[in-house]
PDB file of all heavy atoms in Angstrom:
ATOM      1  N   PHE A   1     -25.898  50.150 -29.390  1.00 97.00           N
ATOM      2  CA  PHE A   1     -25.378  48.973 -30.190  1.00 97.00           C
ATOM      3  C   PHE A   1     -23.985  49.235 -30.904  1.00 97.00           C
ATOM      4  O   PHE A   1     -23.291  48.371 -31.032  1.00 97.00           O
ATOM      5  CB  PHE A   1     -26.428  48.678 -31.432  1.00 97.00           C
ATOM      6  CG  PHE A   1     -27.625  47.791 -30.873  1.00 97.00           C
ATOM      7  CD1 PHE A   1     -27.929  47.799 -29.431  1.00 97.00           C
ATOM      8  CD2 PHE A   1     -28.451  47.198 -31.762  1.00 97.00           C
ATOM      9  CE1 PHE A   1     -29.091  47.077 -29.022  1.00 97.00           C
ATOM     10  CE2 PHE A   1     -29.537  46.501 -31.318  1.00 97.00           C
ATOM     11  CZ  PHE A   1     -29.894  46.502 -29.949  1.00 97.00           C
ATOM     12  N   ALA A   2     -23.739  50.482 -31.020  1.00 96.00           N
ATOM     13  CA  ALA A   2     -22.452  50.774 -31.602  1.00 96.00           C
ATOM     14  C   ALA A   2     -21.286  50.416 -30.712  1.00 96.00           C
ATOM     15  O   ALA A   2     -20.122  50.208 -31.039  1.00 96.00           O
ATOM     16  CB  ALA A   2     -22.352  52.364 -31.962  1.00 96.00           C
ATOM     17  N   GLU A   3     -21.632  50.271 -29.436  1.00 94.00           N
ATOM     18  CA  GLU A   3     -20.611  50.042 -28.321  1.00 94.00           C
ATOM     19  C   GLU A   3     -20.409  48.538 -28.126  1.00 94.00           C
ATOM     20  O   GLU A   3     -19.618  48.077 -27.328  1.00 94.00           O
ATOM     21  CB  GLU A   3     -20.934  50.646 -26.983  1.00 94.00           C
ATOM     22  CG  GLU A   3     -21.053  52.193 -27.173  1.00 94.00           C
ATOM     23  CD  GLU A   3     -19.775  52.865 -27.540  1.00 94.00           C
ATOM     24  OE1 GLU A   3     -18.680  52.501 -27.111  1.00 94.00           O
ATOM     25  OE2 GLU A   3     -19.807  53.856 -28.434  1.00 94.00           O
ATOM     26  N   VAL A   4     -21.288  47.649 -28.756  1.00 96.00           N
ATOM     27  CA  VAL A   4     -21.208  46.230 -28.631  1.00 96.00           C
ATOM     28  C   VAL A   4     -20.653  45.596 -29.836  1.00 96.00           C
ATOM     29  O   VAL A   4     -20.963  45.953 -31.015  1.00 96.00           O
ATOM     30  CB  VAL A   4     -22.594  45.636 -28.332  1.00 96.00           C
ATOM     31  CG1 VAL A   4     -22.569  44.145 -28.166  1.00 96.00           C
ATOM     32  CG2 VAL A   4     -23.148  46.380 -27.095  1.00 96.00           C
ATOM     33  N   ASP A   5     -19.848  44.534 -29.715  1.00 96.00           N
ATOM     34  CA  ASP A   5     -19.179  43.872 -30.758  1.00 96.00           C
ATOM     35  C   ASP A   5     -20.108  42.763 -31.337  1.00 96.00           C
ATOM     36  O   ASP A   5     -19.971  41.683 -31.111  1.00 96.00           O
ATOM     37  CB  ASP A   5     -17.836  43.211 -30.370  1.00 96.00           C
ATOM     38  CG  ASP A   5     -17.177  42.536 -31.562  1.00 96.00           C
ATOM     39  OD1 ASP A   5     -17.357  42.790 -32.700  1.00 96.00           O
ATOM     40  OD2 ASP A   5     -16.258  41.779 -31.267  1.00 96.00           O
ATOM     41  N   PHE A   6     -21.168  43.169 -32.110  1.00 97.00           N
ATOM     42  CA  PHE A   6     -22.169  42.339 -32.729  1.00 97.00           C
ATOM     43  C   PHE A   6     -21.535  41.769 -33.972  1.00 97.00           C
ATOM     44  O   PHE A   6     -22.055  40.738 -34.495  1.00 97.00           O
ATOM     45  CB  PHE A   6     -23.418  42.940 -33.079  1.00 97.00           C
ATOM     46  CG  PHE A   6     -24.212  43.279 -31.903  1.00 97.00           C
ATOM     47  CD1 PHE A   6     -24.491  44.567 -31.418  1.00 97.00           C
ATOM     48  CD2 PHE A   6     -24.913  42.283 -31.239  1.00 97.00           C
ATOM     49  CE1 PHE A   6     -25.344  44.804 -30.366  1.00 97.00           C
ATOM     50  CE2 PHE A   6     -25.737  42.528 -30.025  1.00 97.00           C
ATOM     51  CZ  PHE A   6     -25.909  43.847 -29.719  1.00 97.00           C
ATOM     52  N   ASP A   7     -20.470  42.327 -34.501  1.00 97.00           N
ATOM     53  CA  ASP A   7     -20.016  41.950 -35.843  1.00 97.00           C
ATOM     54  C   ASP A   7     -19.490  40.496 -36.065  1.00 97.00           C
ATOM     55  O   ASP A   7     -18.778  40.047 -35.254  1.00 97.00           O
ATOM     56  CB  ASP A   7     -18.816  42.955 -36.271  1.00 97.00           C
ATOM     57  CG  ASP A   7     -19.397  44.284 -36.251  1.00 97.00           C
ATOM     58  OD1 ASP A   7     -20.035  44.821 -37.168  1.00 97.00           O
ATOM     59  OD2 ASP A   7     -18.967  45.055 -35.240  1.00 97.00           O
ATOM     60  N   GLY A   8     -20.205  39.715 -37.029  1.00 97.00           N
ATOM     61  CA  GLY A   8     -19.852  38.465 -37.303  1.00 97.00           C
ATOM     62  C   GLY A   8     -20.282  37.444 -36.198  1.00 97.00           C
ATOM     63  O   GLY A   8     -19.986  36.295 -36.214  1.00 97.00           O
ATOM     64  N   LYS A   9     -21.177  37.902 -35.269  1.00 98.00           N
ATOM     65  CA  LYS A   9     -21.681  36.898 -34.284  1.00 98.00           C
ATOM     66  C   LYS A   9     -22.999  36.380 -34.500  1.00 98.00           C
ATOM     67  O   LYS A   9     -23.799  36.838 -35.343  1.00 98.00           O
ATOM     68  CB  LYS A   9     -21.711  37.769 -32.866  1.00 98.00           C
ATOM     69  CG  LYS A   9     -20.415  38.490 -32.498  1.00 98.00           C
ATOM     70  CD  LYS A   9     -19.398  37.541 -32.067  1.00 98.00           C
ATOM     71  CE  LYS A   9     -18.248  38.228 -31.316  1.00 98.00           C
ATOM     72  NZ  LYS A   9     -17.645  39.215 -32.098  1.00 98.00           N
ATOM     73  N   ARG A  10     -23.107  35.152 -33.810  1.00 98.00           N
ATOM     74  CA  ARG A  10     -24.503  34.566 -33.858  1.00 98.00           C
ATOM     75  C   ARG A  10     -25.342  35.187 -32.676  1.00 98.00           C
ATOM     76  O   ARG A  10     -25.050  35.114 -31.515  1.00 98.00           O
ATOM     77  CB  ARG A  10     -24.296  33.085 -33.655  1.00 98.00           C
ATOM     78  CG  ARG A  10     -23.577  32.366 -34.768  1.00 98.00           C
ATOM     79  CD  ARG A  10     -23.253  30.947 -34.168  1.00 98.00           C
ATOM     80  NE  ARG A  10     -22.356  30.986 -33.085  1.00 98.00           N
ATOM     81  CZ  ARG A  10     -22.031  29.971 -32.288  1.00 98.00           C
ATOM     82  NH1 ARG A  10     -22.364  28.757 -32.590  1.00 98.00           N
ATOM     83  NH2 ARG A  10     -21.181  30.038 -31.325  1.00 98.00           N
ATOM     84  N   VAL A  11     -26.402  35.963 -33.182  1.00 98.00           N
ATOM     85  CA  VAL A  11     -27.190  36.715 -32.161  1.00 98.00           C
ATOM     86  C   VAL A  11     -28.509  36.054 -32.110  1.00 98.00           C
ATOM     87  O   VAL A  11     -29.067  35.931 -33.112  1.00 98.00           O
ATOM     88  CB  VAL A  11     -27.193  38.190 -32.651  1.00 98.00           C
ATOM     89  CG1 VAL A  11     -28.040  39.050 -31.668  1.00 98.00           C
ATOM     90  CG2 VAL A  11     -25.780  38.757 -32.564  1.00 98.00           C
ATOM     91  N   VAL A  12     -29.066  35.957 -30.887  1.00 98.00           N
ATOM     92  CA  VAL A  12     -30.411  35.546 -30.581  1.00 98.00           C
ATOM     93  C   VAL A  12     -31.143  36.687 -29.853  1.00 98.00           C
ATOM     94  O   VAL A  12     -30.646  37.131 -28.942  1.00 98.00           O
ATOM     95  CB  VAL A  12     -30.458  34.194 -29.849  1.00 98.00           C
ATOM     96  CG1 VAL A  12     -31.744  33.916 -29.346  1.00 98.00           C
ATOM     97  CG2 VAL A  12     -29.879  33.104 -30.679  1.00 98.00           C
ATOM     98  N   LEU A  13     -32.215  37.035 -30.374  1.00 98.00           N
ATOM     99  CA  LEU A  13     -33.138  37.855 -29.753  1.00 98.00           C
ATOM    100  C   LEU A  13     -34.262  37.097 -28.871  1.00 98.00           C
ATOM    101  O   LEU A  13     -34.871  36.205 -29.443  1.00 98.00           O
ATOM    102  CB  LEU A  13     -33.870  38.738 -30.694  1.00 98.00           C
ATOM    103  CG  LEU A  13     -33.078  39.500 -31.850  1.00 98.00           C
ATOM    104  CD1 LEU A  13     -34.008  40.342 -32.793  1.00 98.00           C
ATOM    105  CD2 LEU A  13     -31.939  40.334 -31.222  1.00 98.00           C
ATOM    106  N   VAL A  14     -34.320  37.397 -27.706  1.00 98.00           N
ATOM    107  CA  VAL A  14     -35.340  36.594 -26.907  1.00 98.00           C
ATOM    108  C   VAL A  14     -36.498  37.544 -26.603  1.00 98.00           C
ATOM    109  O   VAL A  14     -36.293  38.614 -25.928  1.00 98.00           O
ATOM    110  CB  VAL A  14     -34.659  36.023 -25.595  1.00 98.00           C
ATOM    111  CG1 VAL A  14     -35.693  35.257 -24.779  1.00 98.00           C
ATOM    112  CG2 VAL A  14     -33.459  35.315 -25.871  1.00 98.00           C
ATOM    113  N   VAL A  15     -37.722  37.232 -27.117  1.00 96.00           N
ATOM    114  CA  VAL A  15     -38.831  38.183 -26.863  1.00 96.00           C
ATOM    115  C   VAL A  15     -40.043  37.471 -26.315  1.00 96.00           C
ATOM    116  O   VAL A  15     -40.088  36.187 -26.122  1.00 96.00           O
ATOM    117  CB  VAL A  15     -39.262  38.643 -28.297  1.00 96.00           C
ATOM    118  CG1 VAL A  15     -38.024  39.337 -29.071  1.00 96.00           C
ATOM    119  CG2 VAL A  15     -39.847  37.478 -29.078  1.00 96.00           C
ATOM    120  N   PRO A  16     -41.008  38.203 -25.759  1.00 92.00           N
ATOM    121  CA  PRO A  16     -42.150  37.669 -25.062  1.00 92.00           C
ATOM    122  C   PRO A  16     -43.113  37.113 -26.073  1.00 92.00           C
ATOM    123  O   PRO A  16     -43.050  37.520 -27.255  1.00 92.00           O
ATOM    124  CB  PRO A  16     -42.763  38.833 -24.322  1.00 92.00           C
ATOM    125  CG  PRO A  16     -42.422  40.092 -25.126  1.00 92.00           C
ATOM    126  CD  PRO A  16     -41.051  39.810 -25.720  1.00 92.00           C
ATOM    127  N   ASP A  17     -44.066  36.250 -25.500  1.00 87.00           N
ATOM    128  CA  ASP A  17     -45.128  35.928 -26.381  1.00 87.00           C
ATOM    129  C   ASP A  17     -46.257  37.023 -26.207  1.00 87.00           C
ATOM    130  O   ASP A  17     -46.183  38.048 -25.656  1.00 87.00           O
ATOM    131  CB  ASP A  17     -45.760  34.544 -25.984  1.00 87.00           C
ATOM    132  CG  ASP A  17     -46.261  34.419 -24.513  1.00 87.00           C
ATOM    133  OD1 ASP A  17     -46.333  35.587 -23.820  1.00 87.00           O
ATOM    134  OD2 ASP A  17     -46.534  33.379 -24.089  1.00 87.00           O
ATOM    135  N   GLY A  18     -47.466  36.609 -26.814  1.00 76.00           N
ATOM    136  CA  GLY A  18     -48.495  37.721 -26.867  1.00 76.00           C
ATOM    137  C   GLY A  18     -49.135  37.947 -25.593  1.00 76.00           C
ATOM    138  O   GLY A  18     -50.255  38.666 -25.580  1.00 76.00           O
ATOM    139  N   THR A  19     -48.736  37.494 -24.417  1.00 74.00           N
ATOM    140  CA  THR A  19     -49.441  37.684 -23.231  1.00 74.00           C
ATOM    141  C   THR A  19     -48.919  39.001 -22.496  1.00 74.00           C
ATOM    142  O   THR A  19     -49.317  39.209 -21.371  1.00 74.00           O
ATOM    143  CB  THR A  19     -49.273  36.510 -22.228  1.00 74.00           C
ATOM    144  OG1 THR A  19     -47.957  36.212 -21.886  1.00 74.00           O
ATOM    145  CG2 THR A  19     -49.806  35.269 -22.860  1.00 74.00           C
ATOM    146  N   ARG A  20     -48.100  39.664 -23.123  1.00 77.00           N
ATOM    147  CA  ARG A  20     -47.595  41.008 -22.485  1.00 77.00           C
ATOM    148  C   ARG A  20     -47.943  42.160 -23.497  1.00 77.00           C
ATOM    149  O   ARG A  20     -47.900  42.131 -24.591  1.00 77.00           O
ATOM    150  CB  ARG A  20     -46.073  40.933 -22.488  1.00 77.00           C
ATOM    151  CG  ARG A  20     -45.403  39.668 -21.798  1.00 77.00           C
ATOM    152  CD  ARG A  20     -45.843  39.686 -20.236  1.00 77.00           C
ATOM    153  NE  ARG A  20     -45.062  38.676 -19.500  1.00 77.00           N
ATOM    154  CZ  ARG A  20     -45.483  37.506 -19.235  1.00 77.00           C
ATOM    155  NH1 ARG A  20     -46.573  37.142 -19.713  1.00 77.00           N
ATOM    156  NH2 ARG A  20     -44.724  36.675 -18.482  1.00 77.00           N
ATOM    157  N   SER A  21     -48.158  43.329 -22.700  1.00 79.00           N
ATOM    158  CA  SER A  21     -48.195  44.537 -23.504  1.00 79.00           C
ATOM    159  C   SER A  21     -46.846  45.019 -23.849  1.00 79.00           C
ATOM    160  O   SER A  21     -45.954  45.124 -23.091  1.00 79.00           O
ATOM    161  CB  SER A  21     -48.884  45.608 -22.557  1.00 79.00           C
ATOM    162  OG  SER A  21     -50.300  45.453 -22.343  1.00 79.00           O
ATOM    163  N   CYS A  22     -46.742  45.146 -25.190  1.00 88.00           N
ATOM    164  CA  CYS A  22     -45.357  45.440 -25.660  1.00 88.00           C
ATOM    165  C   CYS A  22     -45.477  45.923 -27.166  1.00 88.00           C
ATOM    166  O   CYS A  22     -46.131  45.129 -27.926  1.00 88.00           O
ATOM    167  CB  CYS A  22     -44.601  44.154 -25.536  1.00 88.00           C
ATOM    168  SG  CYS A  22     -42.811  44.333 -26.178  1.00 88.00           S
ATOM    169  N   PRO A  23     -44.901  47.031 -27.560  1.00 93.00           N
ATOM    170  CA  PRO A  23     -44.977  47.391 -29.002  1.00 93.00           C
ATOM    171  C   PRO A  23     -43.801  46.595 -29.750  1.00 93.00           C
ATOM    172  O   PRO A  23     -42.873  47.174 -30.170  1.00 93.00           O
ATOM    173  CB  PRO A  23     -44.638  48.861 -28.890  1.00 93.00           C
ATOM    174  CG  PRO A  23     -43.685  49.042 -27.677  1.00 93.00           C
ATOM    175  CD  PRO A  23     -44.192  47.954 -26.739  1.00 93.00           C
ATOM    176  N   LEU A  24     -43.994  45.293 -29.727  1.00 94.00           N
ATOM    177  CA  LEU A  24     -43.002  44.412 -30.240  1.00 94.00           C
ATOM    178  C   LEU A  24     -42.591  44.822 -31.792  1.00 94.00           C
ATOM    179  O   LEU A  24     -41.371  44.732 -32.136  1.00 94.00           O
ATOM    180  CB  LEU A  24     -43.353  42.873 -30.234  1.00 94.00           C
ATOM    181  CG  LEU A  24     -42.344  41.907 -30.509  1.00 94.00           C
ATOM    182  CD1 LEU A  24     -41.239  42.013 -29.448  1.00 94.00           C
ATOM    183  CD2 LEU A  24     -42.816  40.520 -30.559  1.00 94.00           C
ATOM    184  N   PRO A  25     -43.592  45.086 -32.692  1.00 95.00           N
ATOM    185  CA  PRO A  25     -43.134  45.342 -34.069  1.00 95.00           C
ATOM    186  C   PRO A  25     -42.163  46.522 -34.161  1.00 95.00           C
ATOM    187  O   PRO A  25     -41.243  46.490 -34.967  1.00 95.00           O
ATOM    188  CB  PRO A  25     -44.503  45.623 -34.734  1.00 95.00           C
ATOM    189  CG  PRO A  25     -45.464  44.892 -34.058  1.00 95.00           C
ATOM    190  CD  PRO A  25     -45.048  44.923 -32.578  1.00 95.00           C
ATOM    191  N   LEU A  26     -42.411  47.619 -33.329  1.00 96.00           N
ATOM    192  CA  LEU A  26     -41.485  48.701 -33.362  1.00 96.00           C
ATOM    193  C   LEU A  26     -40.193  48.344 -32.854  1.00 96.00           C
ATOM    194  O   LEU A  26     -39.184  48.817 -33.346  1.00 96.00           O
ATOM    195  CB  LEU A  26     -42.097  49.792 -32.414  1.00 96.00           C
ATOM    196  CG  LEU A  26     -41.205  51.015 -32.059  1.00 96.00           C
ATOM    197  CD1 LEU A  26     -40.915  51.772 -33.225  1.00 96.00           C
ATOM    198  CD2 LEU A  26     -41.921  51.951 -30.973  1.00 96.00           C
ATOM    199  N   LEU A  27     -40.129  47.522 -31.797  1.00 96.00           N
ATOM    200  CA  LEU A  27     -38.850  47.242 -31.039  1.00 96.00           C
ATOM    201  C   LEU A  27     -38.058  46.354 -32.089  1.00 96.00           C
ATOM    202  O   LEU A  27     -36.819  46.529 -32.308  1.00 96.00           O
ATOM    203  CB  LEU A  27     -39.057  46.456 -29.805  1.00 96.00           C
ATOM    204  CG  LEU A  27     -39.771  47.295 -28.714  1.00 96.00           C
ATOM    205  CD1 LEU A  27     -40.292  46.303 -27.620  1.00 96.00           C
ATOM    206  CD2 LEU A  27     -38.747  48.314 -28.140  1.00 96.00           C
ATOM    207  N   LEU A  28     -38.720  45.349 -32.600  1.00 97.00           N
ATOM    208  CA  LEU A  28     -38.044  44.437 -33.548  1.00 97.00           C
ATOM    209  C   LEU A  28     -37.636  45.085 -34.844  1.00 97.00           C
ATOM    210  O   LEU A  28     -36.465  44.833 -35.353  1.00 97.00           O
ATOM    211  CB  LEU A  28     -38.913  43.177 -33.903  1.00 97.00           C
ATOM    212  CG  LEU A  28     -38.980  42.149 -32.880  1.00 97.00           C
ATOM    213  CD1 LEU A  28     -39.867  41.012 -33.264  1.00 97.00           C
ATOM    214  CD2 LEU A  28     -37.635  41.609 -32.385  1.00 97.00           C
ATOM    215  N   ARG A  29     -38.375  45.923 -35.332  1.00 97.00           N
ATOM    216  CA  ARG A  29     -37.871  46.667 -36.641  1.00 97.00           C
ATOM    217  C   ARG A  29     -36.679  47.524 -36.287  1.00 97.00           C
ATOM    218  O   ARG A  29     -35.856  47.512 -37.151  1.00 97.00           O
ATOM    219  CB  ARG A  29     -39.090  47.500 -37.150  1.00 97.00           C
ATOM    220  CG  ARG A  29     -40.239  46.658 -37.778  1.00 97.00           C
ATOM    221  CD  ARG A  29     -41.185  47.544 -38.495  1.00 97.00           C
ATOM    222  NE  ARG A  29     -42.231  46.745 -39.108  1.00 97.00           N
ATOM    223  CZ  ARG A  29     -43.486  46.751 -38.574  1.00 97.00           C
ATOM    224  NH1 ARG A  29     -43.934  47.446 -37.626  1.00 97.00           N
ATOM    225  NH2 ARG A  29     -44.379  46.039 -39.097  1.00 97.00           N
ATOM    226  N   THR A  30     -36.724  48.098 -35.162  1.00 98.00           N
ATOM    227  CA  THR A  30     -35.562  48.941 -34.828  1.00 98.00           C
ATOM    228  C   THR A  30     -34.313  48.132 -34.553  1.00 98.00           C
ATOM    229  O   THR A  30     -33.189  48.497 -35.121  1.00 98.00           O
ATOM    230  CB  THR A  30     -36.028  49.758 -33.501  1.00 98.00           C
ATOM    231  OG1 THR A  30     -37.097  50.494 -33.699  1.00 98.00           O
ATOM    232  CG2 THR A  30     -34.683  50.723 -33.127  1.00 98.00           C
ATOM    233  N   VAL A  31     -34.492  47.090 -33.742  1.00 98.00           N
ATOM    234  CA  VAL A  31     -33.322  46.248 -33.534  1.00 98.00           C
ATOM    235  C   VAL A  31     -32.739  45.573 -34.816  1.00 98.00           C
ATOM    236  O   VAL A  31     -31.628  45.490 -35.119  1.00 98.00           O
ATOM    237  CB  VAL A  31     -33.695  45.284 -32.446  1.00 98.00           C
ATOM    238  CG1 VAL A  31     -32.568  44.175 -32.414  1.00 98.00           C
ATOM    239  CG2 VAL A  31     -33.865  45.908 -31.161  1.00 98.00           C
ATOM    240  N   HIS A  32     -33.733  45.079 -35.654  1.00 98.00           N
ATOM    241  CA  HIS A  32     -33.351  44.471 -36.812  1.00 98.00           C
ATOM    242  C   HIS A  32     -32.616  45.311 -37.788  1.00 98.00           C
ATOM    243  O   HIS A  32     -31.565  44.994 -38.419  1.00 98.00           O
ATOM    244  CB  HIS A  32     -34.680  43.952 -37.641  1.00 98.00           C
ATOM    245  CG  HIS A  32     -34.479  43.283 -38.860  1.00 98.00           C
ATOM    246  ND1 HIS A  32     -34.455  44.072 -40.068  1.00 98.00           N
ATOM    247  CD2 HIS A  32     -34.232  41.990 -39.277  1.00 98.00           C
ATOM    248  CE1 HIS A  32     -34.185  43.213 -41.010  1.00 98.00           C
ATOM    249  NE2 HIS A  32     -34.139  41.892 -40.611  1.00 98.00           N
ATOM    250  N   ARG A  33     -33.095  46.575 -37.916  1.00 97.00           N
ATOM    251  CA  ARG A  33     -32.437  47.571 -38.676  1.00 97.00           C
ATOM    252  C   ARG A  33     -30.934  47.758 -38.341  1.00 97.00           C
ATOM    253  O   ARG A  33     -30.083  47.992 -39.272  1.00 97.00           O
ATOM    254  CB  ARG A  33     -33.197  48.867 -38.722  1.00 97.00           C
ATOM    255  CG  ARG A  33     -32.531  50.028 -39.609  1.00 97.00           C
ATOM    256  CD  ARG A  33     -33.660  51.024 -39.780  1.00 97.00           C
ATOM    257  NE  ARG A  33     -34.064  51.666 -38.607  1.00 97.00           N
ATOM    258  CZ  ARG A  33     -35.293  51.588 -37.868  1.00 97.00           C
ATOM    259  NH1 ARG A  33     -36.133  50.880 -38.464  1.00 97.00           N
ATOM    260  NH2 ARG A  33     -35.430  52.090 -36.792  1.00 97.00           N
ATOM    261  N   HIS A  34     -30.724  47.863 -37.027  1.00 98.00           N
ATOM    262  CA  HIS A  34     -29.374  48.058 -36.522  1.00 98.00           C
ATOM    263  C   HIS A  34     -28.493  46.948 -36.308  1.00 98.00           C
ATOM    264  O   HIS A  34     -27.228  46.999 -36.164  1.00 98.00           O
ATOM    265  CB  HIS A  34     -29.484  48.849 -35.196  1.00 98.00           C
ATOM    266  CG  HIS A  34     -30.017  50.289 -35.337  1.00 98.00           C
ATOM    267  ND1 HIS A  34     -29.289  51.239 -35.865  1.00 98.00           N
ATOM    268  CD2 HIS A  34     -31.129  50.831 -34.987  1.00 98.00           C
ATOM    269  CE1 HIS A  34     -30.143  52.329 -35.944  1.00 98.00           C
ATOM    270  NE2 HIS A  34     -31.110  52.052 -35.313  1.00 98.00           N
ATOM    271  N   LEU A  35     -29.027  45.715 -36.537  1.00 98.00           N
ATOM    272  CA  LEU A  35     -28.155  44.539 -36.467  1.00 98.00           C
ATOM    273  C   LEU A  35     -27.922  43.684 -37.745  1.00 98.00           C
ATOM    274  O   LEU A  35     -26.891  43.014 -37.877  1.00 98.00           O
ATOM    275  CB  LEU A  35     -28.758  43.505 -35.411  1.00 98.00           C
ATOM    276  CG  LEU A  35     -28.636  43.926 -33.912  1.00 98.00           C
ATOM    277  CD1 LEU A  35     -29.245  42.801 -33.040  1.00 98.00           C
ATOM    278  CD2 LEU A  35     -27.196  44.248 -33.572  1.00 98.00           C
ATOM    279  N   ILE A  36     -29.028  43.657 -38.571  1.00 97.00           N
ATOM    280  CA  ILE A  36     -28.954  42.625 -39.721  1.00 97.00           C
ATOM    281  C   ILE A  36     -27.840  42.578 -40.600  1.00 97.00           C
ATOM    282  O   ILE A  36     -27.260  41.665 -41.072  1.00 97.00           O
ATOM    283  CB  ILE A  36     -30.275  42.653 -40.535  1.00 97.00           C
ATOM    284  CG1 ILE A  36     -30.493  41.432 -41.377  1.00 97.00           C
ATOM    285  CG2 ILE A  36     -30.303  43.893 -41.269  1.00 97.00           C
ATOM    286  CD1 ILE A  36     -30.588  40.184 -40.605  1.00 97.00           C
TER     287      ILE A  36
END
């Protein structure tokens, strides 16, 4: 993420619904922490 110009941008995260095996809370907390 340090290599991407996220600063001041409108960012949309596109995630699966509950029909997929996925540790979504872990992923979202990690991404949220580095972007918000």
